[in-house]
Amino acid sequence: MAHTLRIELVHRAFMTARLGILMMLYEITSKVVDDRFAFIPTEKCVEILQGVLARAQEKFPLIDVYAFHFLSNHLHLLIGAPTLAHKSAFLEWTLREISKRINQLLGRTGSLLEQNHCIQITTEEHALQRLQYIMGQATAQFLVRHPADDFFACSTPFLLFGKPVEGVFSYAGQDPKTLTVRIDRLPGLEALSPKDHRALMWQLADDVASQARPKRKKAGVRIPDPEALRRLDPMTKPRVRDRSPAPVVHGPPEHHQEWREAQEALREAYSRATRAFHAWQADPTQLMIPWPPHTLPPAFARPRGPRAGAA
């Protein structure tokens, strides 16, 4: 596990507006297995996805959610978490519930989501860039002309219009409840009035649309009918899979190097502690070595296979 060790750069944390505590910011991406279109934006699917996210906020009140977007074959979350353990528990529950409920909706079984990719964000500027990136998902894929037209499960209606983002959640045998996803303010935007904050969001959205327009015309792509998209078979795959390598952090180049150096040092310390733990299991008289801070030791680590909920 050491070579894929989860770490956090705790000195790159931000004071958050809602709780007034230090949090690390992360962008999480998780793809549907085989790139299937399991998140087709039908009314029922959108209700489920947003309902699970709203319920997750109730269960994990220390997690901030700044933006989210569910395209047909993958999801993006922009969140804040005080520790790796908080982040891991939130993702394990949320992705597991999404997998279980979407499987029920589609009448399928087995894994729904691949192992998620979680990247720490180290500056306020990069956090705003990632929010814009998430807001522009459907526009960049030529599925809508402007983020304001987005009909996928996403935070955009709140960010642009102030509309509540609602979903439905129920446990077996209980009446379904309508819940609202709370969209939190990014660090650095706390001082903006609601009017100024919305104006900034519109500026980001307009920039996305203006950048996508010439690309769409050059590609000769027409905006599809939303109802046609909703009628797609959820087991459809995209024709082209265009993937770029993920960075180690979202931040300036010096933060990338900082992360690599920290990860190497923590990986070595983690390996020593793990070997000592295994020796102690075989012989309790052996000395245990504490795992290094800002990592996830085995007792708190989550499954690493291609299972929904692995964090």
Side-chain angles (χ1 to χ4, degrees):
M1 176 183 168
H3 69 288
T4 57
L5 180 64
R6 277 8 183 209
I7 73 168
E8 58 187 359
L9 300 179
V10 69
H11 57 288
R12 299 298 177 189
F14 300 90
M15 187 66 69
T16 55
R18 181 174 65 94
L19 297 175
I21 62 175
L22 289 172
M23 288 191 184
M24 274 64 67
L25 269 57
Y26 299 97
E27 182 187 357
I28 294 96
T29 304
S30 188
K31 294 182 177 295
V32 176
V33 170
D34 294 330
D35 274 340
R36 302 290 185 179
F37 287 178
F39 299 147
I40 293 292
T42 62
E43 181 179 353
K44 185 63 175 179
C45 184
V46 171
E47 280 186 352
I48 291 172
L49 296 172
Q50 294 180 172
V52 169
L53 193 53
R55 177 59 182 143
Q57 290 182 309
E58 294 181 345
K59 289 182 65 68
F60 303 94
L62 294 183
I63 299 294
D64 275 355
V65 175
Y66 307 111
F68 70 92
H69 200 291
F70 292 83
L71 269 184
S72 296
N73 65 344
H74 69 281
L75 65 89
H76 290 275
L77 300 173
L78 183 59
I79 68 169
T83 68
L84 282 173
H86 286 94
K87 173 182 71 69
S88 183
F90 170 80
L91 290 178
E92 181 189 41
W93 187 90
T94 303
L95 300 184
R96 183 186 68 234
E97 290 296 316
I98 287 172
S99 179
K100 179 174 67 176
R101 293 164 192 273
I102 296 299
N103 270 347
Q104 290 174 347
L105 177 68
L106 301 180
R108 69 181 298 276
T109 60
S111 297
L112 180 75
L113 297 173
E114 296 179 355
Q115 175 69 42
N116 71 76
H117 293 277
C118 183
I119 302 174
Q120 186 173 353
I121 302 167
T122 59
T123 72
E124 293 177 353
E125 293 77 13
H126 283 82
L128 192 60
Q129 290 173 12
R130 301 320 294 172
L131 184 148
Q132 182 183 39
Y133 172 79
I134 291 173
M135 183 192 296
Q137 283 292 293
T139 309
Q141 295 296 320
F142 308 148
L143 300 176
V144 298
R145 288 184 174 82
H146 191 284
D149 304 325
D150 206 319
F151 49 87
F152 289 85
C154 63
S155 52
T156 307
F158 177 84
L159 293 173
L160 294 185
F161 302 104
K163 293 181 180 179
V165 179
E166 295 181 337
V168 176
F169 186 88
S170 64
Y171 286 113
Q174 297 184 7
D175 293 334
K177 296 195 303 182
T178 298
L179 303 176
T180 301
V181 182
R182 185 192 67 251
I183 308 300
D184 300 302
R185 281 280 186 100
L186 271 179
L189 305 183
E190 304 93 332
L192 294 179
S193 68
K195 180 179 179 181
D196 290 341
H197 184 269
R198 195 164 300 161
L200 175 60
M201 296 299 106
W202 271 97
Q203 178 184 335
L204 297 178
D206 290 343
D207 289 346
V208 168
S210 64
Q211 292 170 17
R213 190 177 303 112
K215 295 178 182 178
R216 186 178 70 247
K217 290 182 177 180
K218 182 177 180 180
V221 177
R222 298 182 63 183
I223 298 296
D225 176 15
E227 290 307 315
L229 286 177
R230 293 187 178 102
R231 292 193 297 268
L232 282 175
D233 183 350
M235 292 299 101
T236 304
K237 294 182 182 181
R239 294 179 181 177
V240 179
R241 301 182 185 184
D242 185 13
R243 296 177 177 174
S244 56
V248 293
V249 296
H250 290 302
E254 58 268 26
H255 292 184
H256 289 237
Q257 183 59 30
E258 178 183 295
W259 186 93
R260 290 187 176 93
E261 292 173 356
Q263 210 265 358
E264 182 178 359
L266 288 170
R267 186 172 67 240
E268 293 175 359
Y270 188 94
S271 296
R272 289 196 298 271
T274 300
R275 287 193 295 269
F277 174 70
H278 292 158
W280 172 84
Q281 285 182 309
D283 179 4
T285 65
Q286 296 295 311
L287 181 66
M288 288 187 64
I289 302 174
W291 282 281
H294 313 304
T295 64
L296 278 181
F300 301 99
R302 305 304 180 188
R304 290 299 185 262
R307 295 172 50 188

